[in-house]
Amino acid sequence: QVQLVESGGGLVQAGGFLRLSCVASGFTFSIYTVSWYRQAPGKERVLVATIARDGGSINYADSVKGRFTISRDNAKNTVYLQMNSLKPEDTAVYYCKAVRILTTYWGQGTQVTVST
């Protein structure tokens, strides 16, 4: 059974922080590139951050650069998204995606709500 399970979302005030986790099971996590996406109400799903298999290549959307940090622990089959200095514009459902060649897995999403 292949699974990607996000957790760590919740309600936080502007300027606060959250750490999201994405735990993989049922496949060889260490050889997959993993990304975080988010989808705000009424908006398209957009890429937030990407991390390569060994963590050596990392990319961020301009909107989160300097505030969010993506990392992974292959021994724990987990990818993290540390979210600092949160803004109301960060409110969205956050999804993780694992990709290798022709195989793509999506998680179910976790809600992040940032209030003023």
Side-chain angles (χ1 to χ4, degrees):
Q1 182 181 359
V2 171
Q3 282 192 304
L4 288 174
V5 180
E6 302 96 330
S7 63
L11 176 63
V12 65
Q13 291 184 327
F17 59 90
L18 288 170
R19 189 179 75 159
L20 306 184
S21 298
C22 175
V23 180
S25 60
F27 65 100
T28 307
F29 174 79
S30 61
I31 63 175
Y32 281 72
T33 294
V34 179
S35 297
W36 285 97
Y37 287 75
R38 68 186 183 189
Q39 187 166 20
K43 302 294 185 181
E44 295 294 313
R45 188 173 299 184
V46 297
L47 179 64
V48 175
T50 299
I51 186 166
R53 293 172 293 177
D54 64 353
S57 181
I58 294 173
N59 292 283
Y60 299 98
D62 288 341
S63 59
V64 307
K65 191 173 297 182
R67 300 188 297 120
F68 291 10
T69 303
I70 188 171
S71 61
R72 69 190 296 165
D73 186 341
N74 287 339
K76 297 181 179 180
N77 288 349
T78 302
V79 167
Y80 305 96
L81 186 68
Q82 179 66 47
M83 309 164 66
N84 298 327
S85 302
L86 284 163
K87 305 174 180 179
E89 308 93 88
D90 296 319
T91 295
V93 178
Y94 284 71
Y95 302 88
C96 62
K97 181 180 77 172
V99 175
R100 190 185 83 93
I101 308 178
L102 298 179
T103 304
T104 300
Y105 301 124
W106 284 93
Q108 306 81 41
T110 185
Q111 175 71 50
V112 171
T113 303
V114 184
S115 64
T116 59

